[in-house]
């Protein structure tokens, strides 16, 4: 397929690519990364990670036992994070629709879209089965939240641009991996920890796919890609931001060490930026240089905000410990 030459954009200081042009230009990279992914990704069975022997009926047509918080093996912060993480996974139909619209259903792009969707589907399956079987959370509340969240659907902040979407998922997949792993570590249940570690392995492979694709975009369209990364990093929001009670849950997860500013800066943004050497890329035009400078200043400011959060978190946890002992 012949790719039309990129049109020159004076503001960017170099030829500007359209979404269609970048899709075609990146097709070979997508195919290479897809083949690499299929070689290293391991199929796994969600049902093998669920403690089915712990399950029993709930009230209703089967006349089972009502849920009680005392039945849960996971910690309070574990329950909060598990609900947020599962509700995020529940919006998979909206995510699939968005990336299928942006990336298409043909060729290597289409194969990746469907493979990614199938792998992500496992995460929601195993998490819900675990939560209900182990009685980790209130099943009625969980279903009400699911209905409310999915009824709203999901519209990405980056749906206007394929390049912005690639940049976003390069960071978001890593953020999801970190959130799952930390939830497992703080859950208090080894079964939960094992399950979320398995999910986190998938999320890391997804991050590598998009991160490498973003690296190729930097080689083809450095100014446009730098501007996209700047926009995504400075305006980053997790995909669950529209779910019921998200702000309160996110605040509790931050204090509980699941996901907060320090983790976001150190374990999500910095590793991707460092791997791609984003702040060291040369040969940029005026817009790319400006975006690179803004990105560096933003990261410095975020580090300062994270330090202030660290101090508040330490004070809150010390106060809680004193009250517990008191």
């Amino acid at each position: 397929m012949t790719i039309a030459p990129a049109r020159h954009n004076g503001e960017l200081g170099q030829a500007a690519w359209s979404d269609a042009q970048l899709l075609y230009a990146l097709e070979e990279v997508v195919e290479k990364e897809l083949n690499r992914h299929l070689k290293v990704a391991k199929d796994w069975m969600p049902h093998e990670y669920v403690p089915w022997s712990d399950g029993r009926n709930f009230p209703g047509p089967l006349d089972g036992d009502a849920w009680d918080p005392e039945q849960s093996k996971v910690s309070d912060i574990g329950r909060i994070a598990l609900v947020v993480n599962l509700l995020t996974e529940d919006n998979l139909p909206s995510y699939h629709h968005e990336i299928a619209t942006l990336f298409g259903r043909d060729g290597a792009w289409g194969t990746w879209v469907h493979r990614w969707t199938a792998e992500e589907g496992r995460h929601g399956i195993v998490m819900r089965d675990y939560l209900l079987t182990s009685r980790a959370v209130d099943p009625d509340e969980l279903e009400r939240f699911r209905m409310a969240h999915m009824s709203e659907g999901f519209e990405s902040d980056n749906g206007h641009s394929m390049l912005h979407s690639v940049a976003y998922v390069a960071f978001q997949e890593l953020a999801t991996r970190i959130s799952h792993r930390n939830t497992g570590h703080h859950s208090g249940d080894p079964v939960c920890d094992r399950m979320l570690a398995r999910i986190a392995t998938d999320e890391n492979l997804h991050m590598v796919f998009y991160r490498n694709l973003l690296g190729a975009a930097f080689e083809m369209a450095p100014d446009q890609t730098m501007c996209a990364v700047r926009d995504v990093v400075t305006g980053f929001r997790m995909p669950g931001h529209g779910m019921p009670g998200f702000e309160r849950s996110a605040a509790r997860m931050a204090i509980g060490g699941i996901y907060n500013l320090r983790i976001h800066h150190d374990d999500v943004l910095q590793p991707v930026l460092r791997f791609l050497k984003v702040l060291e890329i040369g040969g940029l035009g005026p817009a790319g240089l400006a975006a690179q400078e803004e990105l560096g200043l933003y990261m410095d400011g975020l580090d300062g905000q994270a330090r202030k959060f660290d101090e508040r978190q330490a004070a809150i946890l010390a106060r809680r410990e004193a009250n517990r002992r008191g």
Side-chain angles (χ1 to χ4, degrees):
M1 180 176 292
T2 302
I3 303 174
R7 59 184 176 79
H8 187 79
N9 185 311
E11 181 184 354
L12 287 173
Q14 58 189 215
W17 298 71
S18 69
D19 269 9
Q21 289 168 336
L22 276 172
L23 277 170
Y24 294 140
L26 289 169
E27 179 89 23
E28 289 185 9
V29 181
V30 173
E31 184 171 4
K32 174 186 173 183
E33 290 302 315
L34 172 63
N35 290 334
R36 180 198 55 76
H37 177 85
L38 294 176
K39 286 180 180 178
V40 298
K42 295 181 180 179
D43 277 342
W44 55 280
M45 302 299 147
H47 55 267
E48 294 179 355
Y49 289 80
V50 179
W52 298 105
S53 59
D54 293 348
R56 59 186 189 274
N57 295 341
F58 288 102
L62 299 181
D63 194 27
D65 301 324
W67 182 80
D68 186 277
E70 295 299 320
Q71 298 166 355
S72 177
K73 296 179 181 178
V74 302
S75 62
D76 290 341
I77 189 61
R79 285 202 296 274
I80 293 168
L82 281 163
V83 170
V84 169
N85 291 353
L86 176 55
L87 291 179
T88 300
E89 300 286 357
D90 277 333
N91 254 339
L92 182 60
S94 287
Y95 309 148
H96 172 83
H97 173 76
E98 181 160 302
I99 65 171
T101 301
L102 284 167
F103 300 157
R105 294 169 175 265
D106 300 323
W109 279 107
T111 302
W112 168 254
V113 166
H114 295 303
R115 174 72 189 199
W116 175 88
T117 303
E119 291 184 4
E120 289 288 343
R122 286 176 172 149
H123 304 167
I125 290 169
V126 71
M127 289 180 69
R128 174 165 283 100
D129 286 346
Y130 165 80
L131 293 180
L132 297 180
T133 302
S134 67
R135 294 184 170 241
V137 301
D138 182 343
D140 293 344
E141 183 179 70
L142 181 65
E143 178 60 12
R144 285 192 292 268
F145 282 168
R146 186 190 71 84
M147 287 295 295
H149 190 40
M150 291 194 69
S151 294
E152 289 293 323
F154 173 79
E155 185 174 352
S156 169
D157 298 328
N158 305 289
H160 64 287
S161 161
M162 183 276 289
L163 190 54
H164 280 70
S165 294
V166 169
Y168 175 73
V169 289
F171 295 102
Q172 184 267 324
E173 293 282 5
L174 182 53
T176 303
R177 171 189 178 271
I178 296 296
S179 181
H180 282 312
R181 284 306 287 125
N182 287 342
T183 298
H185 292 330
H186 287 81
S187 69
D189 180 10
V191 175
C192 180
D193 192 23
R194 187 184 308 118
M195 171 193 67
L196 292 176
R198 177 58 261 188
I199 292 175
T201 299
D202 282 358
E203 302 290 9
N204 196 64
L205 291 177
H206 297 164
M207 178 277 294
V208 170
F209 177 94
Y210 287 118
R211 185 195 64 191
N212 292 351
L213 197 57
L214 187 61
F218 265 116
E219 295 179 4
M220 294 179 182
D223 279 6
Q224 280 178 265
T225 306
M226 186 66 72
C227 290
V229 170
R230 182 267 320 274
D231 294 344
V232 164
V233 169
T234 58
F236 186 89
R237 295 195 295 175
M238 290 292 276
H241 60 79
M243 68 181 58
F246 178 77
E247 289 76 12
R248 185 168 184 268
S249 294
R252 296 179 69 179
M253 289 168 65
I255 297 299
I258 304 292
Y259 200 93
N260 53 42
L261 282 177
R262 174 54 62 201
I263 293 169
H264 184 60
H265 178 276
D266 291 0
D267 300 336
V268 176
L269 298 182
Q270 284 281 33
V272 176
L273 295 176
R274 190 182 306 117
F275 183 88
L276 297 175
K277 296 181 172 59
V278 173
L279 297 179
E280 302 169 21
I281 292 174
L284 298 169
L289 278 172
Q292 190 180 50
E293 291 173 4
E294 290 175 42
L295 186 59
L297 289 172
Y298 177 82
M299 291 299 293
D300 289 342
L302 187 63
D303 188 42
Q305 294 177 45
R307 281 196 298 271
K308 293 179 180 178
F309 171 81
D310 292 341
E311 295 170 1
R312 290 198 303 271
Q313 181 190 34
I316 290 171
L317 295 177
R319 187 164 60 247
R320 286 182 181 175
E321 180 63 18
N323 291 336
R324 186 184 68 82
R325 293 180 177 181

